[in-house]
Amino acid sequence: MIISYAEHAPSIDTEAWVAPDATVCGDVVIGAGSRIMHGARLVAEAGGSIRIGRNCIVLENAVIRATGRHPCTLGNHCLIGPNSHVVGAEIGDEVFIATGAAVFHGAHIGRGSEVRINGTVHLRTHLEPDTTVPISWIAVGDPAQLLPPDQHEAIWLRQKPLDFPGFVYGVDRSIPNVMQNITTGLSAVLGVHRAESV
């Protein structure tokens, strides 16, 4: 499904292909030879943009999102695995994001890197070219530190200063009713989709 809203409409190269049950919404550009497979969701929120390079493969049920604060780009020859999630990140050429992996806002993944099954690249994390995040491991920080999932305290020590609520939503985590502030603001931003056209 190709969806436009306001002045934001997808642009899909004639040599690309989007499955009929995939969603491409908003300011999304898809390069030649790229394939967006069944159930994949590419959604650029108001003011956000997604740029997919040449010969990228976005497999089943993967989600790629961009926001007004965090555009999302994929270089050329990238493979985004099934059920993975990439939001507001910059992905270099020839990157492999495996099944179930998650890449968050402001992350930069260098050329030739791999984020293996269920790996996580936290917000504002920078992976150098040719870096591998092992299965279920977490990359966090700049420069990135790679940690196994059983190291929660070490992960949090590096993750907390990256300030997820402030960086992603512009909300100070120390104020009362943080979730009310986040969801009220997000509701207002996402309200633009009420005027979508297919």
Side-chain angles (χ1 to χ4, degrees), residues 35-66:
R35 307 292 185 244
I36 311 304
M37 300 308 293
H38 299 280
R41 307 290 183 231
L42 281 63
V43 179
E45 302 299 349
S49 64
I50 297 174
R51 300 293 180 261
I52 307 293
R54 296 184 321 276
N55 296 310
C56 289
I57 310 300
V58 179
L59 290 172
E60 292 78 10
N61 302 313
V63 175
I64 299 176
R65 294 185 57 247

Side-chain angles (χ1 to χ4, degrees), residues 97-115:
I97 308 293
T99 300
V103 180
F104 288 97
H105 308 75
H108 295 265
I109 298 182
R111 178 187 184 105
S113 292
E114 296 183 20
V115 182

Side-chain angles (χ1 to χ4, degrees), residues 12-175:
I12 302 167
D13 190 276
T14 57
E15 298 298 319
W17 181 77
V18 175
D21 59 343
T23 300
V24 179
C25 177
D27 182 8
V28 179
V29 175
I30 299 174
S34 289
R35 307 292 185 244
I36 311 304
M37 300 308 293
H38 299 280
R41 307 290 183 231
L42 281 63
V43 179
E45 302 299 349
S49 64
I50 297 174
R51 300 293 180 261
I52 307 293
R54 296 184 321 276
N55 296 310
C56 289
I57 310 300
V58 179
L59 290 172
E60 292 78 10
N61 302 313
V63 175
I64 299 176
R65 294 185 57 247
T67 69
R69 294 169 59 109
H70 305 283
C72 191
T73 61
L74 269 64
N76 300 316
H77 304 284
C78 293
L79 177 58
I80 309 300
N83 300 307
S84 59
H85 179 246
V86 178
V87 57
E90 182 180 332
I91 310 296
D93 294 340
E94 302 174 31
V95 168
F96 174 47
I97 308 293
T99 300
V103 180
F104 288 97
H105 308 75
H108 295 265
I109 298 182
R111 178 187 184 105
S113 292
E114 296 183 20
V115 182
R116 294 195 174 152
I117 295 171
N118 295 324
T120 299
V121 179
H122 270 295
L123 75 155
R124 304 168 79 176
T125 294
H126 289 245
L127 292 184
E128 293 296 320
D130 299 313
T131 299
T132 296
V133 178
I135 293 171
S136 296
W137 279 44
I138 294 91
V140 59
D142 181 11
Q145 183 174 359
L146 302 176
L147 296 161
D150 64 349
Q151 298 294 313
H152 179 266
E153 293 306 318
I155 294 165
W156 182 241
L157 186 66
R158 292 189 55 91
Q159 183 185 356
K160 185 178 179 182
L162 299 177
D163 186 22
F164 187 87
F167 186 71
V168 174
Y169 300 111
V171 174
D172 182 346
R173 81 167 61 234
S174 67
I175 65 170

